[in-house]
Amino acid sequence: MQRISAVLLAVLILAGCSGESATTNPTPGTTLTTAATRSHDLTVDGLTRNFIVYTPGGVSTTQALPVVVMLHGTSGDGQKFYNTSGWKEKCEEVKCIAVFPSSRSICYVDNGQPKNTTKWTIAGLVPCVAGQTFADDVKFMRQMVSFLKTTYVTDPKRFYVTGFSNGGSFSSKLWAEASDLFAAVASSSGFDELAPTTFSTVPFYFTVGEFDEDLAATAGYPQGFPLTESVLDIGLFRLIGSISLGRLGLNSTHTTTSTTSGITFRWTTPTSAGTEMLFSVIKGQTHEYPNGTNHPLSLASVFWAFFSTHTK
């Protein structure tokens, strides 16, 4: 796997650069694509599952493109993040395929009360009714990826997944249980600590907002996470770091880079096979997926810079 230096990473995060393009200039006479959005349904275990696919314009119809799967948070759906995540626009810019699946609406117990809304199935969910089962979302992802590979012209070595909040937790679950599908995984504001700790060499990037109201108060930092090295000593991040570094076979040696956008830590030193992990606390971010409008930073640009350096 290729490496991205800490210095280059700092520049990308600070400037919001797009990373390398996935395309080359088509030869004269080549048939070019027109940007398109399509909705697809799959039946998985008797349940209808939906996902939206955005394909960029201006590339050869025979060119194999990388694929980014964007997972929405609790109460969201694929359409919402098609509209707001910035990945549709990023994939038009760098020429990748953006996929926006929807989770099922389920009944689960939240703080002792039943709640009905869309949610990805992660470890630890408590059903409203004894014996109730949740959808197998990992199976859905596997069937969706298979469909994408047979229906679209994709690069099978360059599939990536990112998610926000509950979708971020589910992306980390996919990192644990379906790392064979993806070349890199990025999670924002969510991590499934109960997912298996199966060894993986697939690189991982975790981000959280300085003022993430869903995580900061729970972690004991209602005034916001520190943008210093001390953030690594917070219990939540010690746990995520322990799981992630163990899964990747990395030791605790890391680099630290501070910019106007926040602070980023990077681990690359292996105890075994090794790869890389990154963790960023984003200055000024609340519980949101930054898209350049709701926050100065575009997380799609940051994550694409990370994804574009990795292939299977």
Side-chain angles (χ1 to χ4, degrees):
M1 295 183 180
Q2 296 174 319
R3 300 287 191 230
I4 180 169
S5 72
V7 174
L8 175 58
L9 178 70
V11 172
L12 291 169
I13 291 179
L14 177 61
C17 296
S18 62
E20 65 184 66
S21 172
T23 68
T24 56
N25 293 327
T27 57
T30 300
T31 302
L32 301 181
T33 60
T34 300
T37 301
R38 300 175 179 86
S39 178
H40 297 285
D41 289 335
L42 287 177
T43 300
V44 182
D45 293 335
L47 301 173
T48 300
R49 308 305 305 266
N50 177 262
F51 55 98
I52 298 168
V53 178
Y54 179 82
T55 52
V59 297
S60 168
T61 55
T62 61
Q63 181 176 338
L65 297 180
V67 176
V68 178
V69 178
M70 173 74 237
L71 302 170
H72 64 78
T74 298
S75 78
D77 56 28
Q79 184 67 56
K80 177 180 179 180
F81 272 70
Y82 170 90
N83 293 334
T84 65
S85 67
W87 274 108
K88 168 170 56 71
E89 295 78 8
K90 178 53 59 178
C91 277
E92 180 59 41
E93 175 191 343
V94 302
K95 307 310 179 189
C96 60
I97 296 172
V99 183
F100 306 89
S102 293
S103 64
R104 296 279 299 181
S105 183
I106 62 173
C107 184
Y108 65 100
V109 177
D110 182 28
N111 292 322
Q113 300 296 321
K115 187 171 184 179
N116 285 276
T117 191
T118 54
K119 199 172 186 74
W120 297 104
T121 301
I122 60 172
L125 276 183
V126 178
C128 292
V129 179
Q132 170 190 346
T133 58
F134 298 122
D136 187 341
D137 286 328
V138 174
K139 186 175 183 179
F140 169 38
M141 288 295 110
R142 288 192 174 279
Q143 292 194 16
M144 184 186 76
V145 168
S146 178
F147 176 90
L148 293 168
K149 288 179 177 179
T150 58
T151 306
Y152 293 89
V153 185
T154 65
D155 183 345
K157 294 184 178 182
R158 300 191 68 195
F159 273 68
Y160 310 101
V161 62
T162 177
F164 168 68
S165 193
N166 169 245
S169 295
F170 184 52
S171 68
S172 72
K173 179 181 174 72
L174 290 170
W175 181 43
E177 299 183 15
S179 62
D180 55 300
L181 298 179
F182 304 105
V185 177
S187 169
S188 172
S189 304
F191 189 90
D192 189 351
E193 299 94 342
L194 300 179
T197 55
T198 308
F199 183 78
S200 172
T201 57
V202 175
F204 181 66
Y205 196 163
F206 178 72
T207 69
V208 67
E210 178 187 10
F211 301 117
D212 189 317
E213 59 272 25
D214 279 25
L215 297 180
T218 302
Y221 288 80
Q223 302 306 311
F225 293 119
L227 296 173
T228 65
E229 191 87 13
S230 65
V231 73
L232 297 180
D233 295 325
I234 295 173
L236 172 63
F237 302 134
R238 282 205 312 269
L239 176 60
I240 292 173
S242 175
I243 293 170
S244 301
L245 296 180
R247 190 176 289 161
L248 291 169
L250 298 173
N251 68 29
S252 60
T253 303
H254 62 274
T255 60
T256 304
T257 305
S258 294
T259 72
T260 56
S261 294
I263 190 166
T264 296
F265 308 93
R266 180 173 180 255
W267 292 262
T268 59
T269 307
T271 57
S272 51
T275 177
E276 71 171 344
M277 177 188 169
L278 293 99
F279 168 46
S280 293
V281 183
I282 299 175
K283 185 176 182 179
Q285 181 193 327
T286 59
H287 194 69
E288 60 194 349
Y289 196 86
N291 61 19
T293 299
N294 61 4
H295 184 279
L297 191 70
S298 166
L299 203 52
S301 292
V302 173
F303 283 163
W304 177 252
F306 170 66
F307 288 155
S308 65
T309 64
H310 294 288
T311 186
K312 279 289 191 185

